[in-house]
Amino acid sequence: MDELPEFQRDVLEALRQPLEDKTVTVARVQGRSQFSAAFQLIAAMNPCPCGYFGDPLKPCKCTPFQIQRYMNRISGPLLDRIDLHVDVQRVRYEDISKTAKGESSAQIKARVMSARNIQQVRFQGTALICNADMERKHVQEWCKMQFDAEILLAEAFKRLNLSARAHDRLLKVARTIADLAGENMIGASHIAEAVQYRSLDRLVRA
């Protein structure tokens, strides 16, 4: 979904049920029908109405009120159901012209497959497939943290004013980051990275 805040509010709020329950319920006078709706939502939006808030080269023309009103078109309950919020900065010439090669797709695939194998073993004998499928009871069982990670999560929870749902989703992301690193327990670095993926919480909940 491109230009996410430009969609009508009722359309955006209708995403909440399928994102949470992976089902869509259609109610009519004749009765109710429920359909499977497991999907991955990828959405994009500008940081403000003019599109230049935070840009290092071009100044933003929006007032703080205009920026906040624009961001508030995406409700807190909807944001709670989106696991990763990633800021994409302007592409620099140096990034386009450099010849150094980054990590190959094959290397990334191998790391992802290793993490998925860890999750398959973890969830053996259950109906779960991956970390994203975990419910509250599973999070408590399989998202064990080191002491410093617990302290960091508690601080982030208070500073960002997170909901219980956002708390659990953040932990599931941290669990996946730890899996990618091959770590059994969630450490402070995994929590810190997961918190960075909730950048919109810092703006909408401000």
Side-chain angles (χ1 to χ4, degrees):
M1 300 176 69
D2 196 15
E3 300 290 354
L4 189 66
E6 303 301 332
F7 285 84
Q8 294 182 2
R9 185 66 175 244
D10 58 342
V11 173
L12 295 177
E13 294 306 301
L15 291 169
R16 288 163 54 178
Q17 182 196 0
L19 282 171
E20 182 75 15
D21 304 326
K22 299 181 181 178
T23 60
V24 170
T25 301
V26 179
R28 294 291 185 268
V29 176
Q30 295 85 356
R32 294 165 60 91
S33 297
Q34 193 172 76
F35 303 92
S36 176
F39 69 102
Q40 185 176 57
L41 173 66
I42 301 176
M45 61 184 290
N46 285 322
C48 66
C50 80
Y52 291 102
F53 178 63
D55 190 282
L57 300 180
K58 190 166 183 177
C60 173
K61 298 179 180 179
C62 305
T63 66
F65 174 76
Q66 288 173 321
I67 295 172
Q68 194 63 54
R69 184 175 63 179
Y70 181 78
M71 296 302 302
N72 285 341
R73 293 181 185 178
I74 312 300
S75 71
L78 177 58
L79 275 181
D80 282 348
R81 292 165 169 82
I82 300 177
D83 292 337
L84 306 178
H85 316 158
V86 181
D87 292 325
V88 181
Q89 298 297 321
R90 174 193 291 269
V91 178
R92 302 177 303 170
Y93 175 77
E94 293 81 359
D95 296 327
I96 298 174
S97 60
K98 68 181 181 181
T99 57
K101 293 184 178 180
E103 192 175 14
S104 70
S105 296
Q107 291 173 311
I108 296 172
K109 178 182 178 181
R111 193 167 69 252
V112 171
M113 293 305 297
S114 175
R116 291 303 294 265
N117 289 336
I118 290 172
Q119 293 170 42
Q120 287 179 358
V121 173
R122 174 181 299 136
F123 301 131
Q124 195 169 18
T126 75
L128 306 180
I129 297 175
C130 60
N131 291 336
D133 296 332
M134 288 192 289
E135 297 178 357
R136 176 64 179 163
K137 60 182 179 180
H138 305 124
V139 169
Q140 292 176 327
E141 180 178 356
W142 284 309
C143 294
K144 303 297 184 184
M145 291 178 283
Q146 296 173 1
F147 180 69
D148 55 348
E150 291 187 27
I151 294 175
L152 182 59
L153 178 59
E155 182 65 21
F157 185 83
K158 289 185 289 186
R159 284 183 176 271
L160 297 180
N161 192 26
L162 298 179
S163 67
R165 179 182 287 107
H167 168 276
D168 287 356
R169 285 181 174 267
L170 190 152
L171 264 179
K172 287 189 281 187
V173 171
R175 175 68 271 169
T176 298
I177 294 170
D179 289 344
L180 287 166
E183 301 288 345
N184 290 326
M185 291 191 69
I186 297 173
S189 63
H190 308 137
I191 293 292
E193 184 175 346
V195 169
Q196 292 302 308
Y197 295 140
R198 298 209 65 88
S199 60
L200 288 179
D201 284 320
R202 295 194 288 272
L203 297 174
V204 173
R205 300 177 194 274

